[in-house]
Amino acid sequence: MSEKIDLQIELLQHYPWLPSLKELYHHIASKDPHLFISELFSEKADSIKQRFLKLFANAFENRESFDHFPINESNINFYLVLKILVYILNTDAITNRVANLYSKTMYKELSQENDYYLYQICQDLNLDVKYYQNSIQYRIRIIKDKKELSKTHFRIYFIDFLKLTSNLQDEYRKLVNNPISEGYIFILKQNLVRLLQEYVRGKILEIKGKEDQDITNLRETLLKIPHFKDLYEHIKNLWELKKEEFEYSIEIEFKDGERMDHIFPPCIIHILRQAQEGSNLTHTERLFLVFFLHSLKYPIKNIVDVFSTLPDFDREKTTYQVNFAKNKGYTPHSCETLKSLNLCKASEYSDELCLKGYYSKKHGEERKIKHPLFYVQYMHFKSSNKQYKNTAKPKKEKRDAKS
Amino acid sequence: MQNHKFLQRIFQAYYKEKKDSIPAVSSISNREFAFIPWNKEIMMRHIGFEDLPSLKQYIIKLGPRHMYSSGALYETPEHTNMDQKGFRGCDLIVDIDVDHFYTPCKTDHDIWTCKECQSSGKGMISKCSQCGSLKLSTLNWICKECLNIAKNEIIKLIYKFLVPDFNINLEKIHIAFSGHRGYHLKLEDEKIRTLTSNERRELADYLTGNNISFEILGFQQIQSNIYGFTGNSFDWSRKIVNKIKEILMQYSDDQITDLLTQLGISQNAIKSFIDSREHFLYTITSESHNIWNIEHFGIKTWKKFLEGIVKQVGVEIDEPVIIDIHRLIRYPGSLHGKTGFKVQELSLSQLDEFLPLNENDDALNPIIFESQKNMQKIKINAPEVPRTQIKGESYGPYVRDEIIEVPNHIAIFLICKEVATLV
């Protein structure tokens, strides 16, 4: 085996998301998933399960990293099973969490790599990166008569840079703020590693898919493996316990002809009333309302119509802005933010659900509403299960008291 | 209608006579084509052609008012659903059109009329100077000055940005005079074709200087000192410093005053700037000093100044064009229905000397209906028509109902501009 292949294998055992996995670990990467999982879970199933549960628990808790694993073939197996799990769990919020955690962990690992290995990783990823044994200078600053020279060993082709930074919003990564010459960006090692982190995150995010027959079939097949099923169920339970704290991409959706405003929180009711009365809305109120209605999958036209009573209404401009907000995909503000923006109307409307919270059977305790979308979810759940006994939901008379 | 039939007929005749000189764009069978006919204000889109001969046959028959092809390549360009065309990447398209930016000559030849209060005037305005209405109708004209400014922007784009910063191979660059008020640049490169709209937006920002952060590039205030750029960095700060040097070395005091006044800088600050120009030039050319302390120039004034410099350094591109991966651009060799001029392809070596309104090289002359012998009688139907200078001759200005006899190409130009009709 050549020195190069030895190096690639070592890198793959550490970073199994590298493309050469398919080539060098073809016997694993292309194995039938059922056979692969069956074999893997036939021995040491408990220790494997513990590792996964720890990873998912950390992901659900929004932690920054998890303990990495020994650099050997088990790490490759772990990565492949992780992808399969994310695929069949098929929940965007889980995929996002896992992608964040796994990529952040990789960032830590990659940060500790020496330059040569880092360069080899870029090569494996087919990134057009140049490495300079002697660092090259790209910026001079003089502060208080002292010269600060910025130097680096790395440059990356601008197309690869743009592809890796396209989802990063901070202005340090904007092309216009970066040093470039002859097509290559001068990039510090830590920034290059940050871009690789983004690549890893993207690799996991690309697993996201719509529930289709392929996913259903694979899930059914794999859940016939008892240890795997056990792991899957554990993760699902973990998620059920955690999701209400942060999953605001709720499943309740706008349906034509079906009114939803009776389950809206007072902060939204208040803004809608102002709009109906033709009062002007502040920029923040408008944004919050648009994000909120987008989250409930209201059609663009319906959202635009809400603004049609406003004094400065311009259908064309509003449609553009509503579309723009939709494309950005922002979630509405949390209750905490709404309070800081003075948009929380819980006290004004004497809304008991907002003020007192609700009893969580899962947690066996009283909990506070932390997000207006969870308010909707809770109200929807209560009303659809006909268990609503006028305990948490504020009385209609009270909600209408200010009208 | 009579005008349109006339124009369609002569456009058809052009395509028939010059069919051998209509160039082929690369990957013609993967491009979407679109046409605007003379008889309807619609764009006929989603049209595909197997090869150049079938395209030529089509345009000889149609004699279209406008003709476009896509910057993008598709598996099935004729598919009406964009998602099902099978997108295979898009060339980088840059449009530099004087419609979108200020040129001094607009105050001579661009006419606006307010649809609300009917007042009118000349120049480039965004709202009526009388009543503030945004509803304006405009008559935009062309002259050698504004076309020269557009040409210089293309040259700046290539030699100040694409080549030094992005190492773009000149052979991959295709340039064309648009046939009206600007130039197009098409960059055909396999890697660049893969860029998404968002990624192209980053390129647009780089070329224009939009969203630049002076702080990230090193501009900062520490206590009472302003620390500026050194000019030795491989980033936008070098471009800014070079422009400032050019201003300090080449501009007269009056020119500096005009520039800074346009940027909204106070007269006190302008006076200080001019008083300090020697010292400031020394500072920004020195390798060991970069304290930019000028009286009345606080951090806010500096930013205002730097933003103005960035505007001068950046390229005046039409941003939505470069970002849009499904954009259609005028087909080279086709005729522009608003002028009757040809969309003229140009090599880089031809670009420098090219004069669209007075080109001596027949092969590059976009005014293909030029004729000093054939005269046409036409009637002016617009309230006011600015003076037109083409081929060294001056025509107009004219006013409504004037009947004039002008050379064929001028008549076609004025009819295409919809300010005159056949008599």
Side-chain angles (χ1 to χ4, degrees), chain A residues 120-153:
Chain A
Q120 289 302 324
I121 288 166
C122 292
Q123 293 284 299
D124 199 310
L125 290 167
N126 203 22
L127 294 175
D128 189 351
V129 167
K130 288 185 176 185
Y131 177 70
Y132 299 85
Q133 199 80 41
N134 299 317
S135 62
I136 44 170
Q137 180 186 309
Y138 59 90
R139 187 174 279 162
I140 302 177
R141 292 166 78 178
I142 309 165
I143 303 291
K144 295 184 178 174
D145 292 333
K146 279 189 184 168
K147 273 192 183 178
E148 284 180 8
L149 307 180
S150 301
K151 293 179 176 181
T152 184
H153 293 278

Side-chain angles (χ1 to χ4, degrees), chain A residues 139 142 163 174 177 180 183, chain B residues 165 199 202 213 234-235 290:
Chain A
R139 187 174 279 162
I142 309 165
K163 299 223 162 276
K174 285 196 67 63
N177 294 326
I180 180 172
Chain B
D165 296 347
E199 291 153 8
E202 287 294 309
S213 163
F234 285 103
D235 57 28
N290 71 328

Side-chain angles (χ1 to χ4, degrees), chain A residues 229-287:
Chain A
K229 185 183 179 191
D230 190 39
L231 170 64
Y232 180 85
E233 298 295 344
H234 259 86
I235 294 168
K236 288 285 278 185
N237 286 342
L238 259 182
W239 175 245
E240 286 304 315
L241 284 171
K242 288 290 172 193
K243 75 171 183 182
E244 69 179 44
E245 290 178 12
F246 51 75
E247 191 202 27
Y248 300 122
S249 55
I250 60 172
E251 288 157 15
I252 305 162
E253 285 185 19
F254 172 87
K255 287 191 186 113
D256 209 4
E258 193 177 301
R259 288 193 64 177
M260 292 179 78
D261 51 358
H262 64 289
I263 56 171
F264 283 176
C267 45
I268 286 291
I269 295 281
H270 183 76
I271 297 172
L272 286 173
R273 276 198 192 138
Q274 278 185 289
Q276 278 162 10
E277 288 162 8
S279 309
N280 221 338
L281 296 179
T282 63
H283 180 64
T284 321
E285 286 170 329
R286 290 171 200 231
L287 279 182

Side-chain angles (χ1 to χ4, degrees), chain A residues 126 128 137-145 147 157-160 162-167 171-184 186 317, chain B residues 164-168 191-192 194-196 199 202-203 205-206 209-213 215-218 220 222-223 227 230 232-236 287-290:
Chain A
N126 203 22
D128 189 351
Q137 180 186 309
Y138 59 90
R139 187 174 279 162
I140 302 177
R141 292 166 78 178
I142 309 165
I143 303 291
K144 295 184 178 174
D145 292 333
K147 273 192 183 178
Y157 190 52
F158 76 99
I159 302 267
D160 290 327
L162 288 175
K163 299 223 162 276
L164 290 168
T165 54
S166 64
N167 291 320
E171 54 179 6
Y172 281 89
R173 309 229 197 248
K174 285 196 67 63
L175 185 63
V176 69
N177 294 326
N178 274 278
I180 180 172
S181 173
E182 296 173 332
Y184 288 84
F186 297 80
K317 276 187 194 166
Chain B
D165 296 347
F166 298 105
N167 200 26
I168 299 298
K191 279 194 166 178
I192 285 177
T194 66
L195 291 174
T196 63
E199 291 153 8
E202 287 294 309
L203 271 182
D205 279 356
Y206 189 89
N210 285 347
N211 293 313
I212 197 168
S213 163
E215 290 80 6
I216 290 175
L217 298 180
Q220 60 180 314
I222 299 177
Q223 291 156 352
Y227 290 90
T230 58
N232 293 318
S233 305
F234 285 103
D235 57 28
W236 247 89
E287 291 202 353
S288 53
H289 297 92
N290 71 328

